[in-house]
Amino acid sequence: DVQYADVPDGYASGEYRYWRSSLTNLQKAVDWWNSENGDGNGNGSISFITHLGDLIDGKNTKQKGQSESSMKLVLSHFERSTCKNIHHVIGNHDLYNFDRKALYTQLF
């Protein structure tokens, strides 16, 4: 899970969380997928990408408009992938930020 929020990385529930740094990790993943996928015309080794939920963190709900801008930012990183067969699973943190209808509009 990316679980991005534009807040400093830090501890939550006794675990260190990488909210802001998660974008760097996503960028590295997309760069790697692209290097493995060649030209993106089905000639590479990546057939599909599945993200297993929690694109953004629940912390985004604390500031008006933050959920929308964070989701847009995270999805823009996925859009850089040469593999366009991308599937997103809706996670609980996604539902803290949006209702199902809004998520379907953004993700599917």
PDB file of all heavy atoms in Angstrom, residues 48-69:
ATOM      1  N   PHE A  48       0.439  -6.852 -15.933  1.00  0.00           N
ATOM      2  CA  PHE A  48      -0.521  -6.025 -15.204  1.00  0.00           C
ATOM      3  C   PHE A  48       0.107  -5.599 -13.889  1.00  0.00           C
ATOM      4  O   PHE A  48       1.089  -6.178 -13.429  1.00  0.00           O
ATOM      5  CB  PHE A  48      -1.841  -6.764 -14.956  1.00  0.00           C
ATOM      6  CG  PHE A  48      -1.702  -7.973 -14.074  1.00  0.00           C
ATOM      7  CD1 PHE A  48      -1.882  -7.865 -12.699  1.00  0.00           C
ATOM      8  CD2 PHE A  48      -1.394  -9.209 -14.611  1.00  0.00           C
ATOM      9  CE1 PHE A  48      -1.753  -8.970 -11.879  1.00  0.00           C
ATOM     10  CE2 PHE A  48      -1.268 -10.330 -13.801  1.00  0.00           C
ATOM     11  CZ  PHE A  48      -1.445 -10.210 -12.431  1.00  0.00           C
ATOM     12  N   ILE A  49      -0.484  -4.574 -13.292  1.00  0.00           N
ATOM     13  CA  ILE A  49      -0.080  -4.081 -11.983  1.00  0.00           C
ATOM     14  C   ILE A  49      -1.325  -4.079 -11.113  1.00  0.00           C
ATOM     15  O   ILE A  49      -2.382  -3.595 -11.543  1.00  0.00           O
ATOM     16  CB  ILE A  49       0.510  -2.660 -12.074  1.00  0.00           C
ATOM     17  CG1 ILE A  49       1.786  -2.664 -12.924  1.00  0.00           C
ATOM     18  CG2 ILE A  49       0.766  -2.076 -10.687  1.00  0.00           C
ATOM     19  CD1 ILE A  49       2.244  -1.282 -13.341  1.00  0.00           C
ATOM     20  N   THR A  50      -1.217  -4.608  -9.919  1.00  0.00           N
ATOM     21  CA  THR A  50      -2.327  -4.572  -8.970  1.00  0.00           C
ATOM     22  C   THR A  50      -1.854  -3.891  -7.691  1.00  0.00           C
ATOM     23  O   THR A  50      -0.863  -4.301  -7.091  1.00  0.00           O
ATOM     24  CB  THR A  50      -2.821  -5.993  -8.642  1.00  0.00           C
ATOM     25  OG1 THR A  50      -3.222  -6.640  -9.842  1.00  0.00           O
ATOM     26  CG2 THR A  50      -3.999  -5.944  -7.674  1.00  0.00           C
ATOM     27  N   HIS A  51      -2.556  -2.849  -7.317  1.00  0.00           N
ATOM     28  CA  HIS A  51      -2.289  -2.170  -6.048  1.00  0.00           C
ATOM     29  C   HIS A  51      -3.339  -2.658  -5.061  1.00  0.00           C
ATOM     30  O   HIS A  51      -4.539  -2.584  -5.337  1.00  0.00           O
ATOM     31  CB  HIS A  51      -2.368  -0.650  -6.206  1.00  0.00           C
ATOM     32  CG  HIS A  51      -2.086   0.050  -4.922  1.00  0.00           C
ATOM     33  ND1 HIS A  51      -3.090   0.436  -4.069  1.00  0.00           N
ATOM     34  CD2 HIS A  51      -0.928   0.381  -4.328  1.00  0.00           C
ATOM     35  CE1 HIS A  51      -2.541   0.997  -2.999  1.00  0.00           C
ATOM     36  NE2 HIS A  51      -1.236   0.968  -3.137  1.00  0.00           N
ATOM     37  N   LEU A  52      -2.907  -3.131  -3.907  1.00  0.00           N
ATOM     38  CA  LEU A  52      -3.798  -3.831  -2.982  1.00  0.00           C
ATOM     39  C   LEU A  52      -4.437  -2.951  -1.916  1.00  0.00           C
ATOM     40  O   LEU A  52      -4.712  -3.402  -0.811  1.00  0.00           O
ATOM     41  CB  LEU A  52      -3.040  -4.999  -2.332  1.00  0.00           C
ATOM     42  CG  LEU A  52      -2.539  -6.039  -3.330  1.00  0.00           C
ATOM     43  CD1 LEU A  52      -1.722  -7.108  -2.616  1.00  0.00           C
ATOM     44  CD2 LEU A  52      -3.697  -6.658  -4.095  1.00  0.00           C
ATOM     45  N   GLY A  53      -4.699  -1.711  -2.251  1.00  0.00           N
ATOM     46  CA  GLY A  53      -5.469  -0.852  -1.357  1.00  0.00           C
ATOM     47  C   GLY A  53      -4.648   0.157  -0.591  1.00  0.00           C
ATOM     48  O   GLY A  53      -3.431   0.040  -0.487  1.00  0.00           O
ATOM     49  N   ASP A  54      -5.331   1.158  -0.083  1.00  0.00           N
ATOM     50  CA  ASP A  54      -4.735   2.252   0.688  1.00  0.00           C
ATOM     51  C   ASP A  54      -3.769   3.092  -0.150  1.00  0.00           C
ATOM     52  O   ASP A  54      -2.595   3.222   0.167  1.00  0.00           O
ATOM     53  CB  ASP A  54      -4.045   1.737   1.953  1.00  0.00           C
ATOM     54  CG  ASP A  54      -5.014   1.142   2.948  1.00  0.00           C
ATOM     55  OD1 ASP A  54      -6.220   1.433   2.848  1.00  0.00           O
ATOM     56  OD2 ASP A  54      -4.573   0.399   3.831  1.00  0.00           O
ATOM     57  N   LEU A  55      -4.290   3.676  -1.212  1.00  0.00           N
ATOM     58  CA  LEU A  55      -3.488   4.606  -2.006  1.00  0.00           C
ATOM     59  C   LEU A  55      -3.095   5.813  -1.173  1.00  0.00           C
ATOM     60  O   LEU A  55      -1.981   6.308  -1.277  1.00  0.00           O
ATOM     61  CB  LEU A  55      -4.266   5.058  -3.245  1.00  0.00           C
ATOM     62  CG  LEU A  55      -4.383   4.012  -4.340  1.00  0.00           C
ATOM     63  CD1 LEU A  55      -5.505   4.370  -5.296  1.00  0.00           C
ATOM     64  CD2 LEU A  55      -3.071   3.879  -5.073  1.00  0.00           C
ATOM     65  N   ILE A  56      -4.024   6.300  -0.362  1.00  0.00           N
ATOM     66  CA  ILE A  56      -3.741   7.450   0.501  1.00  0.00           C
ATOM     67  C   ILE A  56      -4.129   7.100   1.936  1.00  0.00           C
ATOM     68  O   ILE A  56      -4.910   6.190   2.174  1.00  0.00           O
ATOM     69  CB  ILE A  56      -4.443   8.737   0.021  1.00  0.00           C
ATOM     70  CG1 ILE A  56      -5.952   8.588  -0.006  1.00  0.00           C
ATOM     71  CG2 ILE A  56      -3.918   9.132  -1.358  1.00  0.00           C
ATOM     72  CD1 ILE A  56      -6.693   9.873  -0.364  1.00  0.00           C
ATOM     73  N   ASP A  57      -3.567   7.846   2.866  1.00  0.00           N
ATOM     74  CA  ASP A  57      -3.781   7.585   4.285  1.00  0.00           C
ATOM     75  C   ASP A  57      -4.971   8.379   4.820  1.00  0.00           C
ATOM     76  O   ASP A  57      -5.342   9.426   4.277  1.00  0.00           O
ATOM     77  CB  ASP A  57      -2.515   7.960   5.074  1.00  0.00           C
ATOM     78  CG  ASP A  57      -2.576   7.465   6.504  1.00  0.00           C
ATOM     79  OD1 ASP A  57      -2.304   6.270   6.705  1.00  0.00           O
ATOM     80  OD2 ASP A  57      -2.908   8.254   7.401  1.00  0.00           O
ATOM     81  N   GLY A  58      -5.522   7.907   5.909  1.00  0.00           N
ATOM     82  CA  GLY A  58      -6.629   8.597   6.566  1.00  0.00           C
ATOM     83  C   GLY A  58      -6.261   9.975   7.083  1.00  0.00           C
ATOM     84  O   GLY A  58      -7.138  10.811   7.318  1.00  0.00           O
ATOM     85  N   LYS A  59      -4.981  10.256   7.260  1.00  0.00           N
ATOM     86  CA  LYS A  59      -4.547  11.573   7.738  1.00  0.00           C
ATOM     87  C   LYS A  59      -4.937  12.690   6.769  1.00  0.00           C
ATOM     88  O   LYS A  59      -4.973  13.854   7.153  1.00  0.00           O
ATOM     89  CB  LYS A  59      -3.042  11.593   7.962  1.00  0.00           C
ATOM     90  CG  LYS A  59      -2.608  10.806   9.178  1.00  0.00           C
ATOM     91  CD  LYS A  59      -1.128  10.971   9.437  1.00  0.00           C
ATOM     92  CE  LYS A  59      -0.724  10.309  10.720  1.00  0.00           C
ATOM     93  NZ  LYS A  59      -1.150  10.989  11.923  1.00  0.00           N
ATOM     94  N   ASN A  60      -5.203  12.342   5.517  1.00  0.00           N
ATOM     95  CA  ASN A  60      -5.582  13.352   4.527  1.00  0.00           C
ATOM     96  C   ASN A  60      -6.917  14.018   4.837  1.00  0.00           C
ATOM     97  O   ASN A  60      -7.190  15.106   4.344  1.00  0.00           O
ATOM     98  CB  ASN A  60      -5.632  12.722   3.131  1.00  0.00           C
ATOM     99  CG  ASN A  60      -4.252  12.407   2.622  1.00  0.00           C
ATOM    100  OD1 ASN A  60      -3.458  13.295   2.370  1.00  0.00           O
ATOM    101  ND2 ASN A  60      -3.957  11.130   2.488  1.00  0.00           N
ATOM    102  N   THR A  61      -7.730  13.388   5.664  1.00  0.00           N
ATOM    103  CA  THR A  61      -9.054  13.944   5.957  1.00  0.00           C
ATOM    104  C   THR A  61      -8.990  15.161   6.880  1.00  0.00           C
ATOM    105  O   THR A  61      -9.980  15.863   7.040  1.00  0.00           O
ATOM    106  CB  THR A  61      -9.960  12.881   6.612  1.00  0.00           C
ATOM    107  OG1 THR A  61      -9.385  12.476   7.861  1.00  0.00           O
ATOM    108  CG2 THR A  61     -10.134  11.675   5.712  1.00  0.00           C
ATOM    109  N   LYS A  62      -7.836  15.429   7.456  1.00  0.00           N
ATOM    110  CA  LYS A  62      -7.716  16.510   8.439  1.00  0.00           C
ATOM    111  C   LYS A  62      -7.682  17.901   7.821  1.00  0.00           C
ATOM    112  O   LYS A  62      -7.912  18.889   8.507  1.00  0.00           O
ATOM    113  CB  LYS A  62      -6.491  16.291   9.321  1.00  0.00           C
ATOM    114  CG  LYS A  62      -6.634  15.025  10.150  1.00  0.00           C
ATOM    115  CD  LYS A  62      -5.484  14.802  11.074  1.00  0.00           C
ATOM    116  CE  LYS A  62      -5.725  13.477  11.757  1.00  0.00           C
ATOM    117  NZ  LYS A  62      -5.196  13.313  13.024  1.00  0.00           N
ATOM    118  N   GLN A  63      -7.378  17.996   6.525  1.00  0.00           N
ATOM    119  CA  GLN A  63      -7.339  19.297   5.857  1.00  0.00           C
ATOM    120  C   GLN A  63      -8.264  19.259   4.647  1.00  0.00           C
ATOM    121  O   GLN A  63      -8.207  18.319   3.850  1.00  0.00           O
ATOM    122  CB  GLN A  63      -5.928  19.641   5.395  1.00  0.00           C
ATOM    123  CG  GLN A  63      -4.967  19.895   6.511  1.00  0.00           C
ATOM    124  CD  GLN A  63      -3.602  20.299   5.956  1.00  0.00           C
ATOM    125  OE1 GLN A  63      -3.460  20.717   4.831  1.00  0.00           O
ATOM    126  NE2 GLN A  63      -2.581  20.159   6.788  1.00  0.00           N
ATOM    127  N   LYS A  64      -9.081  20.264   4.502  1.00  0.00           N
ATOM    128  CA  LYS A  64     -10.023  20.326   3.389  1.00  0.00           C
ATOM    129  C   LYS A  64      -9.281  20.291   2.057  1.00  0.00           C
ATOM    130  O   LYS A  64      -8.319  21.023   1.852  1.00  0.00           O
ATOM    131  CB  LYS A  64     -10.869  21.595   3.476  1.00  0.00           C
ATOM    132  CG  LYS A  64     -11.937  21.641   2.433  1.00  0.00           C
ATOM    133  CD  LYS A  64     -12.854  22.812   2.600  1.00  0.00           C
ATOM    134  CE  LYS A  64     -13.897  22.732   1.509  1.00  0.00           C
ATOM    135  NZ  LYS A  64     -14.997  23.612   1.717  1.00  0.00           N
ATOM    136  N   GLY A  65      -9.711  19.419   1.171  1.00  0.00           N
ATOM    137  CA  GLY A  65      -9.128  19.295  -0.154  1.00  0.00           C
ATOM    138  C   GLY A  65      -7.895  18.419  -0.222  1.00  0.00           C
ATOM    139  O   GLY A  65      -7.415  18.103  -1.310  1.00  0.00           O
ATOM    140  N   GLN A  66      -7.378  18.011   0.922  1.00  0.00           N
ATOM    141  CA  GLN A  66      -6.151  17.213   0.946  1.00  0.00           C
ATOM    142  C   GLN A  66      -6.374  15.808   0.384  1.00  0.00           C
ATOM    143  O   GLN A  66      -5.493  15.268  -0.288  1.00  0.00           O
ATOM    144  CB  GLN A  66      -5.596  17.126   2.370  1.00  0.00           C
ATOM    145  CG  GLN A  66      -4.217  16.523   2.449  1.00  0.00           C
ATOM    146  CD  GLN A  66      -3.160  17.420   1.819  1.00  0.00           C
ATOM    147  OE1 GLN A  66      -3.229  18.641   1.915  1.00  0.00           O
ATOM    148  NE2 GLN A  66      -2.204  16.816   1.167  1.00  0.00           N
ATOM    149  N   SER A  67      -7.526  15.233   0.636  1.00  0.00           N
ATOM    150  CA  SER A  67      -7.806  13.894   0.105  1.00  0.00           C
ATOM    151  C   SER A  67      -7.756  13.904  -1.418  1.00  0.00           C
ATOM    152  O   SER A  67      -7.125  13.052  -2.042  1.00  0.00           O
ATOM    153  CB  SER A  67      -9.176  13.400   0.571  1.00  0.00           C
ATOM    154  OG  SER A  67      -9.213  13.248   1.965  1.00  0.00           O
ATOM    155  N   GLU A  68      -8.411  14.890  -2.020  1.00  0.00           N
ATOM    156  CA  GLU A  68      -8.466  14.979  -3.475  1.00  0.00           C
ATOM    157  C   GLU A  68      -7.082  15.215  -4.081  1.00  0.00           C
ATOM    158  O   GLU A  68      -6.694  14.557  -5.044  1.00  0.00           O
ATOM    159  CB  GLU A  68      -9.430  16.086  -3.917  1.00  0.00           C
ATOM    160  CG  GLU A  68     -10.876  15.803  -3.604  1.00  0.00           C
ATOM    161  CD  GLU A  68     -11.284  16.090  -2.153  1.00  0.00           C
ATOM    162  OE1 GLU A  68     -10.447  16.567  -1.340  1.00  0.00           O
ATOM    163  OE2 GLU A  68     -12.447  15.817  -1.830  1.00  0.00           O
ATOM    164  N   SER A  69      -6.342  16.149  -3.510  1.00  0.00           N
ATOM    165  CA  SER A  69      -5.024  16.460  -4.074  1.00  0.00           C
ATOM    166  C   SER A  69      -4.051  15.302  -3.871  1.00  0.00           C
ATOM    167  O   SER A  69      -3.234  15.004  -4.752  1.00  0.00           O
ATOM    168  CB  SER A  69      -4.464  17.762  -3.484  1.00  0.00           C
ATOM    169  OG  SER A  69      -4.280  17.666  -2.096  1.00  0.00           O
TER     170      SER A  69
END
